[in-house]
Amino acid sequence: MNRFAELCADLERTTRPNVMRQMIDTYGSSVSSETAALAMSLIDGSLCLRILRPREVASAVQSVAPLPQWLIDQSRTMGGTLAETSALLLPRSDSHCEHSLESTISLLTSLQHSDLRSRSEVILAMLQVCSVWERIVLTRIITGSRPTRCDLPQQHVEAAEATEHRMITTVLYAHKAPSIGQQTYSHFTVGVKKGEIYVPLAKIPNTFNEEISTIVEGLATQRTVEKFGPTHWVSVGIIVEIAYTDIVPSTRTKSGIKLLGARIVAWLPNHALAHVDSID
Amino acid sequence: MASSGLLTLTDRGLFCERGNFYIDPVRSVERAVITHAHSDHARPGMRHYLAHRHTVRLLLHRISRSISTQSVEYGEVVKMNDVSVSLFPAGHMIGSSQVRVEAGGEVWVVSGDYKRQPDPYAAPFHPLRCDTFITESTFGLPIYHWPSDDEVVAAILRWHRANTACGVASAVQVYSLGKAQRLIGLLAHHVPLTVSPGIHAANECIRASGISVAETSILSHSISQETLIRGLILASGARDLQDLPAARSVGVDMAFASGWTATEPGRRRNAGAGFVMSDHVDWDDLHKAISETEAEHIVVTHGFASEVVQYLREQGRSAEVLAI
């Protein structure tokens, strides 16, 4: 289970399909073919277990984490989903889950027809001896989510990587740089047309060279409509060409798609909004 | 904060009237006691700086060689009027200190930024008994638990190996002073390291203090693609890499080493890869530190101060928020 949790964490640390494939291959070569197949079925979502609801996980955790409800609520604003926050709220454990992935899944499967109390007790006992990432992955599995948030590469990743695609977009948001950087904006969210509106497509690091960056950052500041903390809403019209390696469907974006390996190619000062690509 | 206390908050920062000095002041003052050399604590414009000797060398490098300074060792007592001031290790970065202030039998301790995890370049945090403990709370929520350095190093090396196998360079974005040296200490035996000029300058300054920092390559226009791919890059920002021809050719995967990447919203905000490594205390170590001071009164600043204060009060402790 520990190695599988590491794989899930590793996959979230890259957006490059070929690197993901490399990570999966390395994992596959270190475990049996049955374990590798089981892992892939969990990662791609074809095997889905739902042992507890998120609020049932939260309730189980609260029985052992002596924290007031207001602090749990406050933690959730920073911790993300209810299930993951609950996993993070458990007291620190320096141990690792000693179950193999097969035995973990086998145990979870056997719990599916048990009563809520039995399920909660077993899950809690498992979570308490897990490391942080094992807890996150296990919590995702038992609440019916995929164990990693990464967008898996398609089958023919290498071909996709070799053919980089281009798209003309407009800047929608400029994101203030953290204090450690020198730039005004560390990232830009770019978008394309969807009907009559512009929808965000990707948040891309600001990799313009110094000269261009100064101009584009100045434009973004001039065109700022409203600020949401470090995120500045910029009126459309700063046209940027981007490159990407693949498009995958996404239910978490307004555009309904997510770009993989997106990077800025060029600022296009001579282009107008009419040149911006459409989602269609 | 109680007006009868040894320290009070003014518009220039934390002030000790009896000793006539400030701790990490935010505006120009006559006499400043500095906890550590990060720019949000050590600012230019003070008439005189007192700090640990390693911090003083960094201040001379970062602020100006012409500033007036006084170097002290950990535990050395300096009298300021009838107030005894001494510095003790905070574990945050090289030279980082807690400030112990004693007068009339009363002891206050200002933690500065601190952590309890081991750091090859920072003396370990030294718990001090006191009446009032002023603590930071950057990560003062119970969702923050730091993994061991071994786990972080293993994760970085796995990520680096996968990138190398695919011909992609790997860069970890870190603060040039503190986190960078901590990672150099942890990684130099495992992988060749290349650092940005800013990190290299900080390393040279630390070496000038007689402290050994592992040798690293420096990012420059002449660096080869092979060096970039095979080694691990430590950079203080994406801009360190964007103009390098080799980096443009091979592509660079950028990751952050930060405590904020411990949660999914934090990872999303950092736009990608993250390794959970912080130079601040996590929830467990914060409360362990508070407990070990045996302080009657806790003053909490920076980060989740109101949450930590409310939690301490519900545990029966006397606590208040200090909004610096």
Side-chain angles (χ1 to χ4, degrees), chain A residues 42-44 84 109 121 140 197 203 207 225 228 242 250:
Chain A
L42 287 164
I43 287 172
D44 68 19
E84 283 195 44
T109 308
E121 283 176 359
R140 288 173 181 171
I197 61 167
K203 183 178 173 183
T207 50
V225 177
F228 311 98
I242 65 165
S250 171

Side-chain angles (χ1 to χ4, degrees), chain B residues 175-194:
Chain B
Y175 291 104
S176 59
L177 184 59
K179 192 80 66 73
Q181 288 73 38
R182 184 178 173 193
L183 274 174
I184 289 170
L186 292 170
L187 292 164
H189 298 301
H190 299 283
V191 62
L193 295 172
T194 303

